[in-house]
Amino acid sequence: MKKKIFAISGSTRKNASSNLLINYIREINQDNFDIIEYPSIELLPHFNPDLEQTALPSEVVEFRKLIEEADGVLICTPEYIFSLPGSLKNALEWTVATIVFDSKPTALIVASALGEHAFQELLLIMKTMSANYKEDTTMLISGIRSKFDENSELKDAVLKEKLMLLSNNFKKLMD
Ligand SMILES: Cc1cc2nc3c(=O)[nH]c(=O)nc-3n(C[C@H](O)[C@H](O)[C@H](O)COP(=O)(O)O)c2cc1C
């Protein structure tokens, strides 16, 4: 039975490395994963705790439901100004008062020029929300742009191998 994966890219850029990586992970896991990628985190309104009590925006209801219904969540993001991109942080803020990530098998990838700060931040945020990730379902990929060729195809053999390993570990986490 294929695992239902909800994928979130931290980039709003159409051809972003994070989106390409999500596509690559889909490609190499066709027999194991059914990956639904969130259309764009920019669809979500700015987080406002007041709205939690009164009128939760429909986009937020849908976003939470997609996380809740997935067997696992894959987050793949660049680092912006030594932090998570604001849009991704905003999306995660909309889940913090819920239990949607509680024990949810999760794979976390930061793919950036450097990325160390965003990586540590993402791990801390997801730990705080009790997401179920292991060291081997997380990955920091520095120098991400150099890993693709001019046709946006992943060309780095070592990275390909690592992404296959991460996929297998992610699958085990959901079994
Ligand atoms: C506004 C902005 C801020 C950035 N800040 C950082 C940063 O702090 N650290 C880093 O590693 N890369 C930073 N970058 C570069 C991104 O990591 C770079 O875009 C990355 O290679 C991902 O490319 P992508 O757009 O294909 O996802 C920044 C890029 C932008 C647009």
Side-chain angles (χ1 to χ4, degrees), residues 67 73 75 92 99-108 122-134 137 173:
I67 296 169
V73 175
I75 299 178
L92 295 175
I99 53 160
V100 291
F101 274 114
D102 197 352
S103 305
K104 182 69 68 182
T106 306
L108 304 169
L122 186 59
L123 299 194
L124 180 60
I125 290 170
M126 299 315 290
K127 187 179 167 197
T128 305
M129 295 204 277
S130 304
N132 178 16
Y133 67 84
K134 300 277 183 287
T137 65
L173 207 56

Side-chain angles (χ1 to χ4, degrees), residues 18-150:
S18 292
N19 303 31
L20 298 175
L21 284 174
I22 289 170
N23 285 341
Y24 181 77
I25 291 170
R26 177 188 284 116
E27 230 175 86
I28 61 170
N29 288 288
Q30 281 178 16
D31 295 338
N32 297 322
F33 298 164
D34 215 347
I35 299 187
I36 301 159
E37 188 176 349
Y38 193 60
S40 178
I41 43 177
E42 70 189 4
L43 298 177
L44 293 168
H46 285 168
F47 176 62
N48 178 347
D50 283 343
L51 299 181
E52 294 269 5
Q53 317 300 333
T54 54
L56 200 61
S58 58
E59 299 89 341
V60 175
V61 175
E62 176 69 9
F63 181 67
R64 289 178 178 177
K65 191 161 166 264
L66 286 163
I67 296 169
E68 219 166 8
E69 288 177 351
D71 296 314
V73 175
L74 163 67
I75 299 178
C76 195
T77 182
E79 173 176 274
Y80 282 175
I81 330 180
F82 305 108
S83 187
L84 287 186
S87 315
L88 177 59
K89 178 81 173 1
N90 180 60
L92 295 175
E93 282 169 9
W94 276 117
T95 68
V96 84
T98 75
I99 53 160
V100 291
F101 274 114
D102 197 352
S103 305
K104 182 69 68 182
T106 306
L108 304 169
I109 300 175
V110 170
S112 207
L114 299 168
E116 178 61 31
H117 294 276
F119 186 63
Q120 293 308 330
E121 213 172 283
L122 186 59
L123 299 194
L124 180 60
I125 290 170
M126 299 315 290
K127 187 179 167 197
T128 305
M129 295 204 277
S130 304
N132 178 16
Y133 67 84
K134 300 277 183 287
E135 196 182 340
D136 64 11
T137 65
T138 72
M139 196 186 295
L140 168 63
I141 311 168
S142 299
I144 185 62
R145 290 276 183 88
S146 67
K147 315 282 185 198
F148 294 99
D149 67 17
E150 60 282 4

